[in-house]
């Protein structure tokens, strides 16, 4: 079976991201999964076990300071060269900012079609995308070149299929044009032990109704009890209650968790765009007419400052 | 510093949007068409740079005839002129082809800086800035929440999941911006009046030296096979808190095995 390349995403501290394990799971349906590590020296070794656990038969290790030190372009060059050499059946990346950017560059380099934000991919290359705030389902296909696809986190349930991957070192040859955008600094901002927003199976989000940055502690407390991530509506972000990287919606993150809890969020179409495909939706809002109730599997009409503390206490009791 | 700002016309994300049943392209006829929101932030950033460093700001758009509306709106915020790439053969263009066309126009305009939105609200593709940088052989500083300029050195803060990265490059470069970077100005009445008189140059594919077979449906590298409306979610149980709303909520979570 032909190889399916999976571009590995990893975080400094947490290692291989969940979305990569999902991509490996998906790749197994399409061919023989091969993981591509594009990172600094030593990264492939650090990720090998995890990648093997999810069925990576092979690891292409492209490791160099040059990959880490510049924005995206070196990764795209190395990946495009690898694609030309191994002629895979498909190439899968995470539908993250960087995943899309790498895919975009590779598409231009190889004059190959690219599909982003894919939620399902069939063996014949037919991809499913959900567009327009989750209102429309689109089936599409790359018609020139191989399926070059970025897949949304939480589209596939990752399942282990342990194997021992072979590791092949890939020579990193980048041009001067790949080194035009230099990363001078990487700054980690407070995050704690919470799972990443797009990968979390539970997301608890707060909106304008939460009222202040201070009050967001209540949202965090509920999220932590459920092992979830914290999200925010744009109104909450714009009001300075919570940082922008946690914004859910049209111009923020798209999340698709098992459970989404919306606290003090009205449910504007642009917010729904980012959470509409969640499995179960729960809402607390004091306005019985709030549109969020139209999509909530369970809604409580009430004051979140009464309902949420009581819920927190009840969960503690049950633990 | 001469700047080209990329502006795309999109259907309003706050209203119902559809794909056409005949050719699966965005239905513009039934939509309220607006400037892609993120591009307003790109325009604002360009104008701020112009105020500080001088030079000219040119709006560049590729889109149908009707996109002139978006161009006038963009010009009313303050840019000096606009270039509109319009050609019937462009209908159905994929991102790869669009980047080819925009890159050709940017080459002709030869700016120091290209600024665009981080993503468009219709496609949410987020690929254009890197595609353009790839074609033009210039730097891409993408996803900026902050941009500073010293001489010909550009430095951005780029939001990541873990925090942010500081990335630097020299002009010429493509910079894409998020909506956290600034607060776009509203067009003044004077601005709106002035926009009507600002030069808008139209370019065809022939003007750009691009063969019609390379773009549109003919040259597309991907195709939509079919589309359908997703069945709308229906609301489930809704209760009114009567002092036990929190407990009831947890009971629901328990039946769904979340606690
Ligand atoms: C192009 C564009 C892109 C956008 N992108 C996004 C996006 O990515 N994400 C996003 O979220 N929005 C986005 N928006 C904004 C969106 O239209 C809404 O303005 C926003 O989602 C509203 O946020 P909210 O629900 O928190 O605030 P509101 O609409 O003000 O709702 C607050 C809710 O809290 C309830 N409430 C108040 N106090 C309490 C209380 N004590 N207890 C219980 N309930 C209470 C109120 O009843 C109300 O329903 C975008 C808009 C545009 C034009
Ligand atoms: N047809 C177009 N004309 C002008 N600018 C565009 C066009 N398509 C995309 N862009 C620019 O590229 C940015 C990113 O778009 P996208 O990659 O489609 O998400 C947008 O915010 C625009 O600034």
């Amino acid at each position: 079976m032909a190889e399916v390349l999976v571009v590995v995403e990893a975080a400094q501290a947490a290692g291989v991201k969940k979305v990569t394990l999902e991509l490996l799971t998906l790749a197994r349906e399409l061919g023989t999964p091969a993981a591509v590590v594009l990172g600094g020296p030593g990264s492939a070794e650090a990720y090998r076990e995890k990648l093997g656990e999810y069925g990576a038969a092979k690891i292409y290790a492209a490791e160099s300071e040059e990959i880490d030190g510049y924005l995206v372009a070196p990764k795209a060059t190395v990946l495009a060269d690898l694609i030309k050499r191994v002629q895979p059946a498909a190439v899968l990346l995470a539908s993250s900012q960087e995943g899309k950017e790498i895919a975009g560059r590779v598409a231009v380099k190889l004059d190959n079609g690219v599909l982003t934000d894919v939620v399902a991919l069939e063996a014949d290359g037919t991809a499913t995308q959900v567009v327009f705030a989750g209102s429309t389902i689109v089936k599409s296909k790359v018609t020139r070149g191989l399926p070059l696809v970025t897949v949304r986190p939480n589209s596939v349930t990752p399942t282990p299929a342990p194997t021992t991957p072979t590791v092949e070192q890939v020579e990193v040859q980048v041009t001067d044009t790949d080194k035009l955008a230099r990363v001078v600094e990487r700054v980690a901002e407070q995050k704690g032990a919470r799972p990443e927003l797009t990968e979390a199976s539970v997301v608890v989000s707060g909106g304008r109704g939460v009222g202040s940055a201070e009050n967001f502690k209540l949202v965090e407390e509920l999220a932590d009890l459920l092992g979830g991530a914290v999200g925010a509506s744009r109104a909450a972000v714009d009001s300075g209650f919570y940082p922008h990287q946690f914004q859910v919606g049209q111009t923020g993150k798209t999340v698709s968790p098992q459970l989404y809890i919306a606290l003090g969020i009205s449910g504007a179409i642009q917010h729904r765009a980012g959470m509409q495909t969640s499995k179960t939706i729960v809402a607390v809002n004091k306005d019985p007419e709030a549109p969020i109730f139209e999509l909530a599997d369970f809604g409580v009409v009430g004051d979140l400052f009464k309902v949420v503390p009581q819920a927190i206490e009840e969960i503690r009791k049950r633990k | 510093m001469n700047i080209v700002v990329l502006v795309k016309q999109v259907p309003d994300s706050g209203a119902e949007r559809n794909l056409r049943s005949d050719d699966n392209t965005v239905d513009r006829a039934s939509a309220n068409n607006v400037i892609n929101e993120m591009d307003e932030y790109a325009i604002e950033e360009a104008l701020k740079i112009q105020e500080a460093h001088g030079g000219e700001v040119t709006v560049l758009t590729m889109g149908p005839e009707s996109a002139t509306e978006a161009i006038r709106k963009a010009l009313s915020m303050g840019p000096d002129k606009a270039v509109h790439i319009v050609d019937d053969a462009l209908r159905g263009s994929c991102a790869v082809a669009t980047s080819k066309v925009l890159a050709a126009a940017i080459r002709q305009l030869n700016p120091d800086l290209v600024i665009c939105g981080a993503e468009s609200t219709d496609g949410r593709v987020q690929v254009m800035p890197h595609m353009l940088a790839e074609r033009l052989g210039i730097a891409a500083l993408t996803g900026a929440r902050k941009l500073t300029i010293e001489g010909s050195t550009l430095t951005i803060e780029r939001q990541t999941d873990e925090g942010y990265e500081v990335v630097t490059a020299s002009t010429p470069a493509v910079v894409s911006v998020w909506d956290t970077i600034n607060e776009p100005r509203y067009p003044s009445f004077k601005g709106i009046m002035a926009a009507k008189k600002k030069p808008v140059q139209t370019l065809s594919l022939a003007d750009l030296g691009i063969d019609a077979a390379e773009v549109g449906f003919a040259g597309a590298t991907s195709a939509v096979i079919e589309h359908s409306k997703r069945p709308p979610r229906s609301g489930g149980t809704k209760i009114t808190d009567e002092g036990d709303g929190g407990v009831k909520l947890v009971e629901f979570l328990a039946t769904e095995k979340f606690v």
Side-chain angles (χ1 to χ4, degrees):
Chain A
M1 263 201 297
E3 280 184 329
V4 175
L5 298 184
V6 169
V7 177
V8 174
E9 276 206 13
Q12 217 97 61
V16 179
K17 289 195 184 178
K18 189 168 140 223
V19 64
T20 298
L21 310 180
E22 294 165 3
L23 296 184
L24 287 170
T25 306
L26 178 61
R28 301 205 299 262
E29 310 276 305
L30 311 169
T32 309
V36 183
V37 174
L38 304 163
S43 13
E45 192 45 44
Y47 310 148
R48 189 163 68 129
E49 206 180 306
K50 197 78 183 173
L51 298 171
E53 191 185 331
Y54 284 83
K58 192 168 189 179
I59 296 173
Y60 291 104
E63 302 174 323
S64 154
E65 307 285 359
E66 289 184 332
I67 285 188
D68 242 8
Y70 302 90
L71 206 63
V72 182
K75 294 184 177 176
T77 294
V78 172
L79 181 62
D81 287 343
L82 186 65
I83 293 169
K84 274 190 272 186
R85 180 156 69 82
V86 307
Q87 297 289 327
V91 180
L92 311 181
L93 300 96
S95 223
S96 57
Q97 174 167 267
E98 189 176 276
K100 291 180 185 184
E101 292 176 344
I102 296 173
R105 281 194 181 254
V106 168
V108 166
K109 281 177 197 285
L110 303 178
D111 195 22
N112 193 110
V114 58
L115 298 172
T116 59
D117 283 308
V118 164
V119 297
L121 184 64
E122 287 158 45
D124 71 349
T126 305
T128 307
Q129 294 161 299
V130 185
V131 304
F132 293 162
S135 69
T136 305
I137 297 173
V138 171
K139 300 255 186 206
S140 44
K141 234 176 169 165
V142 168
T143 49
R144 191 184 309 154
L146 49 85
L148 173 64
V149 165
T150 76
V151 182
R152 260 195 201 159
N154 276 348
S155 300
V156 180
T157 309
T159 48
T163 174
T164 311
T166 56
V167 179
E168 181 184 322
Q169 293 295 329
V170 176
E171 199 189 337
V172 175
Q173 269 185 327
V174 302
T175 64
D176 286 343
T177 347
D178 291 331
K179 298 197 279 187
L180 293 173
R182 192 164 57 84
V183 178
V184 238
E185 200 183 354
R186 290 203 167 86
V187 183
E189 285 173 320
Q190 37 60 291
K191 180 146 172 282
R194 282 188 203 108
E196 200 166 299
L197 186 52
T198 55
E199 304 199 329
S201 47
V202 176
V203 174
V204 184
S205 287
R208 200 199 307 272
V210 174
S212 70
E214 179 64 25
N215 290 346
F216 248 80
K217 290 222 174 74
L218 195 61
V219 182
E220 294 185 330
E221 202 179 338
L222 183 58
D224 289 343
L225 270 175
L226 296 168
V230 176
S233 74
R234 176 160 175 184
V237 169
D238 285 351
S239 312
F241 301 169
Y242 221 64
H244 178 255
Q245 68 259 42
F246 300 103
Q247 183 177 315
V248 171
Q250 175 89 58
T251 42
K253 297 274 160 58
T254 301
V255 300
S256 197
Q258 296 295 317
L259 173 63
Y260 188 88
I261 303 184
L263 305 174
I265 292 177
S266 61
I269 194 161
Q270 293 93 351
H271 186 77
R272 294 172 177 217
M275 45 70 76
Q276 183 123 255
T277 55
S278 305
K279 257 279 180 29
T280 302
I281 297 174
V282 171
V284 181
N285 195 305
K286 67 180 180 192
D287 173 9
E289 302 302 322
I292 190 77
F293 289 123
E294 288 163 23
L295 53 157
D297 300 286
F298 191 82
V300 182
V301 180
D303 185 348
L304 74 93
F305 297 108
K306 293 196 179 118
V307 176
V308 177
Q310 190 181 68
I312 287 171
E313 197 187 319
E314 179 67 18
I315 296 172
R316 287 228 169 88
K317 245 193 264 170
R318 288 171 181 246
K319 279 205 161 171
Chain B
M1 182 151 316
N2 289 327
I3 304 173
V4 166
V5 192
L6 298 181
V7 172
K8 184 181 185 184
Q9 191 185 44
V10 297
D12 185 355
S13 64
E16 181 167 334
R17 292 169 291 173
N18 294 298
L19 293 174
R20 281 165 56 142
S21 52
D22 53 350
D23 62 3
N24 295 314
T25 60
V26 175
D27 184 355
R28 291 169 182 273
S30 76
N32 178 23
N33 296 308
V34 298
I35 291 186
N36 176 39
E37 204 213 22
M38 217 71 88
D39 299 348
E40 292 183 19
Y41 297 79
I43 297 168
E44 177 64 34
E45 200 59 23
L47 294 173
K48 280 166 81 176
I49 296 168
Q50 182 185 41
E51 281 155 17
H53 302 270
E56 208 175 33
V57 177
T58 307
V59 169
L60 173 62
T61 207
M62 168 185 134
E65 204 65 61
S66 60
T68 35
E69 248 175 84
I71 291 176
R72 289 296 168 197
K73 166 93 196 292
L75 288 175
S76 69
M77 288 174 69
D80 302 293
K81 60 190 176 62
V83 173
H84 184 182
I85 310 164
V86 49
D87 198 308
D88 288 342
L90 286 168
R91 264 180 61 77
S93 291
C94 63
V96 176
T98 301
S99 71
K100 185 180 285 179
V101 175
L102 289 174
I106 292 168
R107 249 182 234 115
Q108 285 193 0
L109 293 165
N110 194 26
D112 302 293
L113 187 58
V114 178
I115 306 186
C116 66
E119 68 176 19
S120 50
T121 56
D122 58 347
R124 297 202 63 179
V125 207
Q126 235 178 88
V127 291
M128 203 48 66
H130 275 276
M131 283 186 165
L132 292 173
E134 182 69 38
R135 290 196 186 274
L136 297 165
I138 63 178
L141 299 176
T142 45
R145 67 177 193 187
K146 186 177 170 198
L147 168 64
T148 46
I149 302 184
E150 263 170 68
S152 62
T153 305
L154 312 168
T155 305
I156 64 154
E157 275 183 26
R158 164 180 159 107
Q159 185 87 64
T160 63
D161 289 334
E162 282 81 33
Y164 67 93
E165 297 170 332
V166 181
V167 193
T168 180
S170 300
T171 54
V174 181
V175 175
S176 77
V177 303
W178 280 116
D179 51 357
T180 33
I181 197 162
N182 57 41
E183 200 46 62
R185 64 196 68 185
Y186 285 104
S188 63
F189 179 70
K190 217 174 110 202
I192 294 167
M193 296 316 286
K196 294 185 175 150
K197 299 197 201 80
K198 287 178 179 170
V200 179
Q201 183 192 6
T202 54
L203 292 177
S204 65
L205 283 171
D207 294 328
L208 294 171
I210 293 174
D211 186 350
E214 296 174 50
V215 298
F217 286 112
T221 58
S222 59
V224 175
I225 306 161
E226 57 174 49
H227 72 268
S228 54
K229 280 274 165 191
R230 199 160 156 272
R233 279 187 94 104
S234 49
T237 316
K238 186 162 92 178
I239 62 156
T240 301
D241 179 31
E242 281 159 355
D244 58 354
V247 172
K248 290 239 169 81
L249 195 160
V250 176
E251 277 166 10
F252 172 79
L253 295 181
T255 52
E256 299 286 316
K257 308 227 172 346
F258 290 115
V259 289

